[in-house]
Structures are given as structure tokens and as C-alpha cells.
Amino acid sequence: MAEGVFRSMTKADKRVSRIDSAGTGAYHEGSSPDPRTMSVLEDNGELDFNHSARKIQDSDFKNFDYILAMDEDNLDDLLRVQRRIVKNSGADTAAARVMLFGDFGGRNGEQVVDPYYGARDGFTIAYEQMTRFSKGFVAQVLTGIHIAETQDS
């Protein structure tokens, strides 16, 4: 869903050249998005999203500027992979910046609860988050405007 929202939001933006999404596991590799994802995207006018699930590859860490995690567990997994790649390559750093996507939504450390095992309303909540995070990313990274962060107590 995040890819579909971000792709729709930035399709006319020449600063964005490549968008893709991948999982840290190969659970649904080769599968189309969940029908509830597609339904929520369609309800919000995003009708041209095609995707086939894939697992993240080592090459993604050099081919992308940003790799955005949906939650802390995935962030930890991605950072572990990135450290391994850097160690094995002898480089000081990997090209991609690995970050929590929710940090762009105005609430520091916000995570996406995976809606897969719940009802459709979880996908609606995830859509709202993806929209907010994507707008924040565009504002902060592409245009350099800092959005004030809040922390839930």
C-alpha cells in the first residue's frame, strides 16, 4: 500500500525516479496485494497500482537512496542487513538511508500495525498513515521543510 500511495503522490515529481516496495521476509513473494489493500486504494482514487510482492535484496541498499520501514521490527531487520552488507563490502556505509517511515508523519517513532490479520478498517487506518507519511517525506526530504514531531505519551 505504501508504494501505491507514494507512487500516486509523486508521479509528476521529476525528483523521484524509482519507487519499489519489498518485505523483509518472503511470505507472499510473487503475490498481488491483498484485495483489501486494493479496495482501499480504489476508494481513494488510486486505480493504477500493480505490484508483485518480493523480498528485499542486498542490491536494494545500493540502488535506492531511502529504505523505509513500517515498524521497529522491520527497521531492526533492515539495519542488520545493512550492517552485514557494509561489513562484507569493506565500505564505510551503504548508499541507502534506512529509516522508520512513520518518523515522517509528525509523530516520532510512529509504526504501522500490519492490518493483514484484521478487518478492512485496519487497511483504512494504514492508508491514512501512508498518506501522512508520504506527505511528510515529500515535505522534509524533497522540499526540505521540517515538520514538527510529537511524541505520544
Side-chain angles (χ1 to χ4, degrees):
M1 180 181 291
E3 178 188 345
V5 171
F6 192 76
R7 186 177 296 280
S8 175
M9 192 174 292
T10 60
K11 64 182 159 192
D13 193 323
K14 300 296 183 206
R15 297 169 296 181
V16 179
S17 61
R18 187 168 175 207
I19 303 167
D20 199 358
S21 59
T24 55
Y27 312 113
H28 304 284
E29 196 162 13
S31 298
S32 297
D34 186 290
R36 296 167 292 180
T37 292
M38 297 308 295
S39 175
V40 170
L41 288 173
E42 289 167 5
D43 287 353
N44 288 280
E46 299 178 28
L47 307 173
D48 61 351
F49 180 57
N50 293 306
H51 178 72
S52 180
R54 69 178 186 88
K55 184 177 179 186
I56 195 151
Q57 303 293 314
D58 289 0
S59 60
D60 292 335
F61 289 84
K62 71 175 183 177
N63 293 333
F64 291 94
D65 295 326
Y66 292 88
I67 296 177
L68 303 171
M70 297 298 122
D71 61 37
E72 290 288 342
D73 288 338
N74 285 305
L75 180 62
D76 290 344
D77 290 343
L78 292 166
L79 290 170
R80 189 172 22 263
V81 170
Q82 185 180 45
R83 284 191 300 272
R84 177 186 50 78
I85 292 167
V86 169
K87 180 180 176 185
N88 291 343
S89 72
D92 291 333
T93 61
R97 292 184 63 191
V98 178
M99 307 171 79
L100 187 65
F101 198 22
D103 285 345
F104 293 99
R107 297 181 194 137
N108 191 28
E110 184 174 358
Q111 300 181 62
V112 177
V113 176
D114 188 347
Y116 186 75
Y117 295 104
R120 187 179 186 278
D121 65 331
F123 288 81
T124 302
I125 293 166
Y127 178 84
E128 181 279 329
Q129 288 179 299
M130 297 305 101
T131 300
R132 191 164 31 85
F133 300 170
S134 295
K135 286 179 182 177
F137 183 89
V138 168
Q140 290 180 48
V141 174
L142 299 181
T143 59
I145 298 169
H146 182 73
I147 296 175
E149 295 178 351
T150 61
Q151 287 188 331
D152 294 333
S153 301

